[in-house]
């Protein structure tokens, strides 16, 4: 299944295995549930969320967030002051930008419960994962 939306504050949602929820526009949300699902959103302050094994939550835009739950899932957040979180065994990918909006780096980490905690929001600061406020 596919749920798609466009426009500020929009929501695209879908459920079922291999589903896709996508949205674009400021403060939008793309959400999907089911194994191998993708929740994607673009636009400042957007959220991409997915649940289910081998799923992907992705968001781009300043102050965007991505989150996943389910085994072997991936949360990717790209944009200034972006953040991501995941369940144990998932991976988070974050980017860092300087004060002028210039891309500095991207970094990935596994949610292991120790160095990267389960269900805790993270962002990149000076190339390191830090808990987001």
């Amino acid at each position: 299944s596919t749920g798609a939306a466009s426009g500020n504050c929009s929501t695209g949602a879908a459920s079922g295995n291999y589903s896709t929820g996508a949205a674009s526009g400021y403060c939008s949300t793309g959400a999907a549930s089911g194994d191998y699902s993708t929740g994607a959103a673009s636009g400042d302050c957007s959220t991409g969320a997915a649940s289910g094994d081998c799923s992907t939550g992705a968001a781009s835009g300043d102050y965007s967030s991505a989150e996943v739950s389910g085994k072997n899932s991936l949360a990717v957040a790209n944009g200034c002051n972006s953040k991501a979180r995941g369940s144990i065994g998932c991976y988070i990918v974050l980017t860092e930008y300087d004060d002028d909006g210039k891309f500095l780096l991207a970094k990935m980490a596994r949610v292991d419960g120790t160095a990267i905690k389960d269900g805790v929001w993270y962002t990149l600061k000076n190339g390191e994962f830090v808990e987001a406020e």
Side-chain angles (χ1 to χ4, degrees):
S1 60
T2 301
S6 176
N8 294 342
C9 301
S10 61
T11 301
S15 66
N17 292 340
Y18 304 96
S19 62
T20 301
S24 65
Y26 297 116
C27 301
S28 61
T29 302
S33 65
D35 293 346
Y36 305 96
S37 296
T38 301
S42 65
D44 293 348
C45 303
S46 295
T47 301
S51 64
D53 294 349
C54 303
S55 294
T56 302
S60 64
D62 295 347
Y63 300 95
S64 63
S65 58
E67 62 182 309
V68 291
S69 61
K71 296 177 187 173
N72 303 314
S73 293
L74 181 68
V76 181
N78 177 30
C80 292
N81 301 302
S82 59
K83 62 185 181 178
R85 72 178 175 182
S87 300
I88 295 285
C90 294
Y91 288 84
I92 60 173
V93 179
L94 289 165
T95 57
E96 185 174 5
Y97 291 79
D98 67 15
D99 293 337
D100 295 323
K102 179 183 172 194
F103 175 78
L104 298 175
L105 65 106
K107 195 169 184 179
M108 180 172 74
R110 184 174 186 268
V111 179
D112 62 2
T114 305
I116 302 295
K117 299 173 189 168
D118 179 25
V120 174
W121 289 106
Y122 285 91
T123 190
L124 282 181
K125 297 275 188 202
N126 300 315
E128 299 298 324
F129 287 98
V130 296
E131 291 186 24
E133 298 177 7

